[in-house]
Structure formats: structure tokens, C-alpha cells
Amino acid sequence: MNVLPFMIIIPLLGAFATPIVGLAGRRAREAWAVLVSGATLGVAGKVLYDLWSTGKVLVYTLGARSPLGEGGFPIRIVWELDLLSGIMAFTIAFVAFLAIVYSLEYMSHDTGLEKYYTLALILELGMLGIVMTGDLFNFYVFLEIMSIASYALVAFRNDTWEGIEAGIKYMFVGSLASSFILLGIALLYGEYGTLTMAYLAKLMGENFTLTAKIALALLMGGLLFKSGAVPVHMWLADAHPAAPSSISAMLSGLVIKAGGLYVMARIAFSVFGLGVNLKTLGWVIILFACLTLIVGNAMAIVQTDMKRLFAFSSVGQVGYILLGFGIGLAAYGTDVGRVATAGAIYHIVNHALMKALLFMVAGAILHQVGSKNLNELSGLARTMPKTTAALIVGSAAIIGLPPLNGFAGKWLIYESSALFNPFLAAIAIIGTAFCTAAYIRVLYTFLGRPSERVMGAKEPGNAMLVPMFILVVAIIVMGLFPWAISEKVMVPAASMLANIKGYITAVLGGA
Amino acid sequence: MNQRSLHSDMGVIVKTTARATIPLIGIFGAYVVSHGHLTPGGGFQGGATIAGAGILFLLAFGLGEMKKKYDHHLYSALEGLGGLVFLGMAMLGLGVAFFYNTLWHNGPFNGEPGTLLSAGYLPIMNLAVGLKVFTGLMSAMVAIAMYRRWKE
């Protein structure tokens, strides 16, 4: 039996049933949320293993056995997963599961928690749907599910001024970006008369019109916003500090990647790949990537609020991923391009793990000490040694120190950018230098002389420490086998992403 | 100000008219929901229409009367139930595919097209969506109406 639909069914069932299960009390609701996200993780693991072991694109049709109607073209919604989707789905389910376990203790002082768990499961559902779908409008629906759940979760603590302010800002500009995407999809539908990504890609290869170019520009504009690239990154620096930390971990680790970067790669390669001039598109993305790298990392240095620092650092890391995909497009079909794409995919996974860890650490400190201002937190290593150890691992990983997982992903991007254009490599190195400066500053604060504020601090409970240390273990284990993972998983994923014809024939058959 | 907020209901003409029209709006909404597969409309439109009847009740009789009739847990659970019924219908044909309309292909809801029981899972899904939209909109409106006060 095909397990694929259960990746949507289980979180959907979980979210719909949470208000009913919640009537049985607090324990039941928490156990239900953990159970549902754990089961989703199991399904995502199975799907990833199937994709990896067979090496084929997995297609699932809703409503019938075949996506094709009597006319011989696809008429139904298809879910189409290649290895990149599988990796994304597993990362999403993994981090979302840990974030939900983490929030059992972290959110315990808040009210309205039945809504919190419903929204968290819906956020996970939206992201899983985005990475699964092979239909443009279905993608838009899942994007809105994800976006609206994240607007509500950013403003979840509605008794704080910053939650409301960040929520309003995020929602206003986020809805505008979503409507750009919808407009792009409407233009494509008017021009080609289909919304199935694979069939659209085939039609575009035969006849690429000006309307399609405008649609691509609108889609890219919206998606750059959703991924927090530089000219439109301002929502991210407000939303991530204001959200509850378990949600910041999901927002920064997952939402910007599922709703922004993954879809950008999918649309650039799989949908527009046969029509558009990939070199031009690649250079446009590289331009934004360079801006993002420099601005995001440089702004991280000057922050005094810990979560805001991590948020700007997320913007900076998005720059690396964009750079990888940009080079992958501009150097399409060469080894350099493939390595860059593999590096970008690798860095998506790595950054999801380490940024989730860092936001969980920030949440633990905010929860135990009551402050996220770095000027007040000196000497926390004395009173919260375990949390500080997790912070050190996360910071070292994000800078890219060799024994940890951040190294390999960044190395692939440096290497390919140096081979592609040494100027880009120099920009990437400058970004990392800024990033190192920012994190050294955080570490220096933590290892300094204890301030009065932190003297009475205690370690958080196990429900918060265990997810953090699972992430630490994942970061270290992935760091021990970087080239094996790269060869066996990331490079095949990049090759599958670059194989546009394979993506099309998986749905349309030999036609 | 305080006098008005204590008496948030309307005058006797509005109340009497509301008594007459609320059932009519509700019945029309139920008609739109249940004939969603035959005539224009469907779950969302019908659900929103029925919620319109509820909002008329809230406006005409005031928040005090509404609080007596409205149970937050019940509406929340019913909204979840609407979603679960929709999901359950989508899963019935899981042996073939998610959203496979097995009630149409294998019965029992496979009557002559144009009759009420003719579209497989569609009428049931419309009822589920109608329930969800009605309870969701009502909960949202009552929550906004109950929002603490104008000034801090």
C-alpha cells in the first residue's frame, strides 16, 4: 500500500481532531500532538527511503489511478516527489516533531494552547504539501495554508506589542507576495491552459512566450519574499524574534525553505527549465544571493537581541542557498552546476537543523532567564552549561567548522562558486567572515563573567533539553560523514532536480 | 456609553423581523448547502449564508442573548468534526486513490445525474464544509463581539 497520501492525511487528521481531543484535557491534547507529528515523521522517513532506494520520481494522482484524462493530458491534481522533495519532507517532519516536543514545556505558561497545536500541525501540513505537490494551484493553496498558519503563530502571544506588530507586518506584506504568486499562476493558466507542473513544463519547452516571462518574474518576486532574500527580508527580522521560540525554530528552519527556496528551485528547474534562458535566470538569482549574503550576515553583527541576531543570520544563510541554486542554474548541465545545486540542498538540511537548534537554545534562555538581550546575559555558561554546550555546537556548525555538518554544505558552495566565478567565492567568504564575527560575539558573551541577572538561572527541563540534544547529535553525526552523505544523497538529489525531462515523463509517460 | 453597552440589542421592530427572517435565511442556507452539486452554491456559500442568520441574531438580540446560546467548546468541536467528515469522505476510496469517489463508482450515492443523491461523496462533503464554515464564522464573529472593551 502506498504510504504517500498519509503524509497529508495524518497531519490533517491531527489538526481537525485537536479541538475534539482537546476536550479531554491538556495531557490528551499534548500527547495527541506529539503522536501525530511522530507518525508524520515515520511516514516521511518511509517516503524518503523509497525515493532514495529506487531513484525514481514518485507520482501520486488524486481521485483516480492515472493523472491523464481522455484527452491524453493531465486533468487531475498530481503529487510528484523527487529526491529533493523527499529530503525536504523528512527534514520538515523531523524538525516539526522536535519543535512540538519542545513546546510541551516551553509553551506551558501560555493560554489558548489547543489553537497552538492545531496551528503548528497545520503549519507542518502546509509545508509538506508544498514539497509534495506537482500542481501549481495546489502549491498555491498549500502555500497559503502555511503562510496563514505562520501569521497566526507569529502573533500568537497577542498580549505583547511585538507579537502583534510583527504579525501585522508579516501578514500585510506576506499577503501581497502571495497575491503576486497567484497572479503569476493565473497568467500561466491563461497562456497555457494547464496547471500541472510537468505538462506546463512540456508546453513551455515548445512555446515560451512573453506572458510566461512575466509570470516567472511575478513568481520569483513572491518567492524571494517568502524566502527572506534581501530587498524583502524585513518581515523576517521582526517575525522570528516575536514568535514563540518553538515557532521561530520552524519558521527559520523550515518555512523560508519549503515556501521559498524549495519552490524557487522547483519552478526554475522543473517548470521553466525547458523554456527560459537558465543562464540569465541563474544570474538574477546570484545577484540577490550576493546581496542577501552580505546584508544578512553584516546586520547580524550589530544586533543586541539574540533572536534578532539569529534571524539576520538566517537571512545570511539563505544567501548561500540562493547562491548554490543560482550557480546551479547559470552553469546548468556542468559538473560545477551540479555540485553547486548539491551544496544548496545540503545546506538547506544543515541550516534547518542548526537554526532550529539555535532558536531552541534562545527559547530556553528566554524561558529560564527572561531576557534575550545579549548585554544582560554574560556568563550563562556558568549557570546553564548544557544549553551553552548546545549553543556552541550550533554556532560552530553555522560558521562551518569542519567536524560539524555546516562545513560540507558550505564547502560545496565555496568550491563551485570559486570554479564558476572567483568573485562570487570572495563574496561568500566575506559573508562567512561576518557570520563568524557575529557568533564569536555571542559565544564571548556566554563565556564571560556571570552577570547578576544570570546568577539564579537554572537549566530547562527535559522536554526542552532532549529535542535540543537530538539536534546536537544529528549535527555531529551528519558532520562525521559529510562526503558519504554528499555522494549518496545530495548529488543524486541535485541530478534528479536537473533532470527536467525525467520530471515531465514521470507524469506524462513516454508521450 | 455604559447605558448603551448594557443594552446592546435592537428595537422591537428589528427583533420581530429577525424572528421571522432567521429561520428563512437558515432554511435557504441549508438548501444551498444540500444542493451544492446541482445548483450554484455549495458548502462555503451555504455555510456563510447560515452564518449570516447567526450574525443577524447577534446583532438583533445582542451579545448577552448570544452568550446564552453559544457554547465555545461545542462550536469548536463541530468545526473539527466538519473537517474530519470531509477527510473521511476523501479517504473512503483510498484503495484506489486519495479522493477517489467510491460512493459514486460503487454506490450507494450513484443515482441519476440531476437528482439529490447523485454525486457520490459531494453532498456529504458540502454538508461538512457548510458545517465547518458556519461554526468557524460564528466562532470568529462571537469572539470579535466579545473582545474585551474599546479602551484599555
Side-chain angles (χ1 to χ4, degrees):
Chain A
M1 181 156 181
N2 198 342
V3 298
L4 193 54
F6 287 96
M7 210 142 81
I8 291 297
I9 290 173
I10 291 174
L12 205 53
L13 176 74
F16 284 151
T18 303
I20 298 171
V21 175
L23 294 177
R26 180 193 179 102
R27 288 272 150 224
R29 179 205 309 145
E30 288 176 347
W32 176 249
V34 171
L35 182 76
V36 167
S37 53
T40 315
L41 176 61
V43 174
K46 171 84 169 76
V47 169
L48 175 61
Y49 178 75
D50 285 353
L51 282 163
W52 179 74
S53 55
T54 60
K56 286 203 193 96
V57 179
L58 209 60
V59 176
Y60 187 85
T61 310
L62 271 73
R65 285 183 206 277
S66 158
L68 306 181
E70 283 171 9
F73 54 84
I75 57 168
R76 300 186 175 96
I77 291 176
V78 289
W79 287 338
E80 188 167 13
L81 288 91
D82 64 3
L83 191 51
L84 172 59
S85 321
I87 293 170
M88 290 295 301
F90 185 72
T91 314
I92 289 165
F94 181 63
V95 175
F97 173 65
L98 292 181
I100 283 176
V101 173
Y102 177 86
S103 40
L104 297 186
E105 184 182 340
Y106 179 75
M107 295 299 289
S108 56
H109 306 299
D110 289 82
T111 55
L113 287 180
E114 74 274 16
K115 276 140 201 127
Y116 173 83
Y117 288 112
T118 311
L119 284 168
L121 288 173
I122 286 183
L123 185 64
E124 185 186 1
L125 162 83
M127 292 188 287
L128 287 172
I130 288 174
V131 299
M132 283 168 74
T133 190
D135 182 279
L136 264 185
F137 192 74
N138 199 228
F139 146 68
Y140 176 75
V141 171
F142 279 122
L143 181 83
E144 280 295 272
I145 291 176
M146 179 195 86
S147 302
I148 291 171
S150 52
Y151 305 152
L153 283 168
V154 164
F156 187 75
R157 285 179 173 155
N158 57 10
D159 51 342
T160 60
W161 64 269
E162 50 180 359
I164 297 288
E165 190 204 349
I168 287 181
K169 188 185 252 184
Y170 184 19
M171 189 180 77
F172 279 13
V173 277
S175 321
L176 191 65
S178 298
S179 58
F180 277 7
I181 293 173
L182 185 60
L183 184 56
I185 294 172
L187 285 178
L188 283 179
Y189 185 57
E191 187 74 0
Y192 294 104
T194 182
L195 287 170
T196 309
M197 289 187 190
Y199 190 49
L200 197 59
K202 178 167 175 270
L203 293 179
M204 257 183 226
E206 290 158 6
N207 175 24
F208 192 69
T209 59
L210 179 65
T211 314
K213 279 183 199 166
I214 296 170
L216 177 63
L218 286 166
L219 283 168
M220 281 294 154
L223 292 172
L224 280 172
F225 172 89
K226 295 277 174 192
S227 49
V230 144
V232 281
H233 65 293
M234 66 294 165
W235 61 273
L236 199 150
D238 283 334
H240 290 200
S245 290
S246 44
I247 296 307
S248 315
M250 280 216 254
L251 281 180
S252 179
L254 306 173
V255 167
I256 53 177
K257 304 196 178 70
L261 297 164
Y262 164 82
V263 188
M264 207 183 288
R266 173 66 66 216
I267 284 188
F269 282 99
S270 306
V271 181
F272 285 80
L274 291 181
V276 76
N277 182 344
L278 287 176
K279 201 162 187 117
T280 318
L281 180 59
W283 273 102
V284 171
I285 292 179
I286 289 172
L287 177 74
F288 284 111
C290 292
L291 274 175
T292 311
L293 265 173
I294 299 293
V295 175
N297 284 316
M299 289 289 285
I301 302 180
V302 297
Q303 303 301 323
T304 52
D305 179 321
M306 188 169 36
K307 284 180 81 179
R308 209 171 165 82
L309 189 152
F310 292 158
F312 273 112
S313 155
S314 284
V315 175
Q317 303 300 317
V318 163
Y320 289 104
I321 301 167
L322 281 177
L323 185 65
F325 281 132
I327 294 174
L329 286 166
Y332 180 76
T334 63
D335 275 346
V336 172
R338 193 170 315 121
V339 170
T341 316
I345 298 171
Y346 204 166
H347 201 55
I348 285 183
V349 179
N350 288 336
H351 184 248
L353 296 179
M354 53 211 186
K355 203 35 86 59
L357 172 64
L358 285 173
F359 270 112
M360 284 181 185
V361 166
I365 291 163
L366 184 60
H367 188 258
Q368 299 303 112
V369 186
S371 168
K372 49 188 173 132
N373 188 334
L374 283 172
N375 294 333
E376 297 175 352
L377 292 175
S378 75
L380 259 183
R382 214 60 76 73
T383 46
M384 294 174 75
K386 290 177 191 162
T387 312
T388 310
L391 176 84
I392 292 173
V393 172
S395 314
I398 209 161
I399 297 165
L401 287 185
L404 300 168
N405 68 350
F407 169 68
K410 281 197 174 182
W411 181 258
L412 293 177
I413 294 173
Y414 293 149
E415 193 187 16
S416 53
S417 57
L419 289 171
F420 180 69
N421 187 333
F423 181 67
L424 296 178
I427 290 182
I429 300 285
I430 292 172
T432 302
F434 284 146
C435 174
T436 312
Y439 282 97
I440 293 282
R441 222 178 114 242
V442 178
L443 288 180
Y444 205 77
T445 312
F446 274 64
L447 300 175
R449 183 201 304 268
S451 69
E452 273 179 34
R453 180 102 201 218
V454 306
M455 287 309 276
K458 287 202 293 286
E459 290 283 357
N462 279 336
M464 283 165 88
L465 278 179
V466 167
M468 273 153 55
F469 276 89
I470 292 175
L471 283 170
V472 167
V473 169
I475 285 173
I476 293 174
V477 169
M478 275 187 77
L480 292 179
F481 313 101
W483 307 121
I485 294 174
S486 164
E487 286 300 312
K488 293 221 162 61
V489 185
M490 304 301 167
V491 172
S495 308
M496 273 175 96
L497 180 64
N499 181 3
I500 302 166
K501 294 255 164 54
Y503 190 82
I504 296 172
T505 49
V507 169
L508 298 178
Chain B
M1 172 66 202
N2 281 328
Q3 284 295 315
R4 287 301 306 163
S5 61
L6 282 177
H7 302 283
S8 60
D9 54 338
M10 299 253 177
V12 68
I13 299 177
V14 175
K15 277 192 195 170
T16 314
T17 320
R19 274 200 190 92
T21 44
I22 285 172
L24 293 179
I25 299 174
I27 289 167
F28 179 68
Y31 163 77
V32 171
V33 171
S34 52
H35 288 68
H37 53 298
L38 302 174
T39 57
F44 183 83
Q45 290 83 347
T49 309
I50 304 174
I55 291 164
L56 179 58
F57 181 88
L58 173 65
L59 289 178
F61 296 97
L63 186 58
E65 200 64 24
M66 192 72 192
K67 276 182 187 162
K68 287 182 208 155
K69 305 268 195 258
Y70 172 84
D71 177 7
H72 170 70
H73 292 295
L74 176 68
Y75 273 66
S76 191
L78 280 180
E79 192 185 350
L81 183 71
L84 287 176
V85 170
F86 189 92
L87 186 64
M89 286 299 115
M91 282 175 70
L92 274 184
L94 206 57
V96 178
F98 193 36
F99 275 98
Y100 176 73
N101 196 344
T102 190
L103 292 182
W104 164 253
H105 292 284
N106 306 316
F109 290 165
N110 53 358
E112 186 73 17
T115 58
L116 199 56
L117 296 180
S118 67
Y121 58 34
L122 268 189
I124 305 171
M125 279 186 172
N126 274 329
L127 288 175
V129 172
L131 180 68
K132 194 167 170 59
V133 169
F134 165 66
T135 51
L137 280 177
M138 280 318 294
S139 299
M141 287 308 296
V142 174
I144 293 170
M146 285 205 271
Y147 188 76
R148 288 162 292 181
R149 52 195 168 268
W150 288 109
K151 283 182 255 181
E152 272 308 316

